[in-house]
Amino acid sequence: MLIRFQASNYRSLAEPAELSLVAVDRDRPAARAQEPFGESLLAVAGIYGPNASGKSNVVSALAWLCDAVALSLRTWEDEIPRDPFAFQEADQPSTFELEMTVDGVRFEYILETGSTEVSYEALFHYPKRYRRRVFEREGMNVRFQPGVSGQVGIRELLTQRTLVLSAARRFEDPLIRGFADQLIRCQIVGLIQRDPRGLVRFRRRSPLPTSLHFDGEWPPPLFGAPSQALAMLRMADLGIEDVEFVEDEVDHEPDASSRGRRRIRFLHGSPSGQQPLELAQESQGTQAWINLIGYVLDALSRGSLLIVDELDGSLHPTLSAAVLRLFCDPSTNPQGAQLVFTAHDVSLLDHLNRDEVWFTEKQSDGSTRLGALAEFAGERVRKSKDLRSAYLRGKFGALPEVDRTELLRALGLIG
């Protein structure tokens, strides 16, 4: 489970911004006790703030690090596709720090990188609560803990732009592989990663296509168990009663790539019986829910991290709240999956505890400030606080400042 994440010099995160999932209020089922760590961890964390305040950049930084571990060995040949803070001196490194528990052991991963080379990278673990180095890298010099498998092979794969953690995944050291795989299992929804030139860099899983072609039985691999996927479709009260599949019609003998391709249709109840609709015919909200449930079920089944930018986008508030409950309830989340999301829908604050809420604000220099609601302004927010009402009254800041004066003047309505 994720303990904390910190990033600096990434997009609008100029100074270190830290997101912590350590519970403040531990006396509730949603706070998962981590005995070796000595703390309890949260299953959800929601980030609120005005438009352009940097909410998406916080979760994007976390997604970037997860994907960096998966892709640096294969795709970082010419440059490291980072996106540093624009309003500062060039050539300053970007830094990322992450702590998480894997099989009850606490790990700490640190990365410091420029655009052409990795300057520092380290992985530590805490067996019996004592910090021990797994590996530590400065430039091309790497020191390993005695007994780490594949040290010679890792050094052969290493370049100035390859992460040690990416190279080490090729080898079967259980300590490194377990931590790296936990990061790579992270699912990312709603974010399109871009390099500094504005080009799409990667997207490990794209939204479902409007035709939803796939080969195989229901459900597609993304959807999880058939009964669970169908239950989530019915739970949303979208009118969907079942699903069916139809073979693609082809005018010629299908080749190997098209043979057996089918597409999904959703069966809606009507007075005349069940009527099928293609995915493209469904409403935007229904498509958003269909796209999301696969990621949710995948995370819950594997106990992995799910990152969602704009959880409330195109979803009714009751559905967004239902997703939160799935993660917070130990009976539906026995593996300790976690959800980190951004949102604008303040009604979700009614379903979040004070230690599950974070706010972003844009500073005068264009950078983002990330702050925990539980420690707002240096004082503990009361556990019983009506979060939605207090937020809308501006008690916690992080609200857009709407000033119509300039617009009214431009429209000639005022002098």
Side-chain angles (χ1 to χ4, degrees):
M1 296 185 73
L2 180 65
I3 300 171
R4 72 173 188 95
F5 171 73
Q6 178 180 291
S8 65
N9 194 22
Y10 176 85
R11 297 191 178 179
S12 64
L13 308 180
E15 299 299 321
E18 179 175 296
L19 176 72
S20 171
L21 276 81
V22 176
V24 173
D25 302 314
R26 303 171 63 176
D27 55 340
R28 55 199 176 96
R32 309 297 179 91
Q34 306 290 306
E35 295 301 333
F37 176 44
E39 297 283 357
S40 294
L41 298 179
L42 302 170
V44 300
I47 304 172
Y48 282 79
N51 289 330
S53 64
K55 298 186 302 297
S56 295
N57 291 341
V58 176
V59 293
S60 174
L62 179 52
W64 186 94
L65 185 62
C66 294
D67 277 320
V69 175
L71 299 172
S72 77
L73 183 63
R74 292 185 284 120
T75 65
W76 289 7
E77 295 180 358
D78 300 321
E79 64 177 342
I80 296 172
R82 69 185 184 116
D83 196 351
F85 182 58
F87 307 126
Q88 69 176 16
E89 294 181 11
D91 300 326
Q92 295 297 310
S94 299
T95 61
F96 304 86
E97 297 182 18
L98 180 143
E99 291 187 47
M100 69 187 333
T101 61
V102 180
D103 297 328
V105 179
R106 176 185 170 193
F107 284 82
E108 178 185 8
Y109 181 61
I110 304 171
L111 174 63
E112 183 176 302
T113 181
S115 298
T116 59
E117 62 181 5
V118 174
S119 53
Y120 182 81
E121 181 187 6
L123 179 64
F124 302 94
H125 67 142
Y126 292 76
K128 300 180 181 179
R129 300 194 181 187
Y130 293 102
R131 190 182 198 231
R132 292 188 61 189
R133 178 177 63 209
V134 180
F135 68 78
E136 191 169 12
R137 172 224 195 127
E138 295 183 71
M140 291 295 291
N141 180 36
V142 187
R143 292 172 290 171
F144 290 95
Q145 171 184 303
V148 170
S149 303
Q151 295 185 31
V152 174
I154 294 170
R155 287 189 171 94
E156 289 177 350
L157 290 175
L158 203 62
T159 70
Q160 290 181 323
R161 287 176 289 278
T162 300
L163 300 185
V164 174
L165 198 55
S166 298
R169 286 190 64 246
R170 292 283 186 94
F171 304 90
E172 295 301 321
D173 183 84
L175 202 60
I176 298 178
R177 186 68 184 263
F179 175 80
D181 286 351
Q182 188 77 352
L183 277 183
I184 291 173
R185 289 193 195 107
C186 169
Q187 301 289 353
I188 305 162
V189 181
L191 288 170
I192 298 177
Q193 303 293 328
R194 299 180 183 274
D195 68 14
R197 297 164 298 180
L199 302 175
V200 174
R201 183 171 76 254
F202 52 76
R203 177 71 177 269
R204 280 196 287 130
R205 285 196 172 176
S206 299
L208 297 177
T210 54
S211 61
L212 196 58
H213 286 106
F214 72 98
D215 305 315
E217 300 300 322
W218 165 264
L222 183 60
F223 272 68
S227 60
Q228 295 173 346
L230 191 55
M232 288 194 71
L233 287 173
R234 291 171 175 168
M235 178 185 73
D237 194 26
L238 303 169
I240 297 174
E241 296 181 348
D242 208 340
V243 297
E244 69 174 7
F245 302 93
V246 294
E247 299 284 347
D248 277 352
E249 296 182 2
V250 293
D251 298 328
H252 54 81
E253 186 68 21
D255 58 24
S257 63
S258 62
R259 189 179 300 118
R261 285 174 62 87
R262 303 185 298 167
R263 67 182 187 276
I264 189 172
R265 297 198 300 191
F266 300 90
L267 303 180
H268 290 253
S270 74
S272 59
Q274 291 183 332
Q275 299 296 321
L277 288 181
E278 304 282 352
L279 181 61
Q281 296 175 290
E282 298 285 358
S283 70
Q284 185 177 1
T286 299
Q287 291 187 35
W289 181 248
I290 291 170
N291 183 41
L292 182 62
I293 62 175
Y295 296 102
V296 170
L297 290 174
D298 184 79
L300 293 174
S301 66
R302 297 197 293 176
S304 56
L305 174 65
L306 175 62
I307 300 171
V308 182
D309 191 29
E310 298 188 3
L311 174 65
D312 50 340
S314 301
L315 289 182
H316 191 277
T318 57
L319 293 183
S320 300
V323 172
L324 298 185
R325 288 194 296 271
L326 287 173
F327 279 86
C328 291
D329 188 342
S331 65
T332 53
N333 183 15
Q335 304 300 324
Q338 292 172 295
L339 170 67
V340 176
F341 68 93
T342 69
H344 290 285
D345 183 2
V346 296
S347 70
L348 292 180
L349 292 172
D350 293 336
H351 304 275
L352 294 170
N353 196 61
R354 59 177 179 172
D355 53 2
E356 296 168 337
V357 180
W358 293 75
F359 292 126
T360 55
E361 287 187 311
K362 189 174 184 179
Q363 305 297 291
S364 59
D365 62 354
S367 66
T368 292
R369 173 184 174 273
L370 176 67
L373 171 62
E375 301 288 348
F376 181 79
E379 299 180 1
R380 287 275 178 105
V381 174
R382 294 195 309 275
K383 188 176 181 179
S384 60
K385 174 72 70 176
D386 181 346
L387 300 184
R388 174 165 55 162
S389 176
Y391 176 59
L392 290 176
R393 293 199 308 270
K395 182 174 179 60
F396 309 130
L399 283 173
E401 297 181 4
V402 181
D403 184 353
R404 301 191 306 159
T405 304
E406 184 177 352
L407 174 60
L408 294 175
R409 184 176 292 111
L411 293 173
L413 299 179
I414 60 175

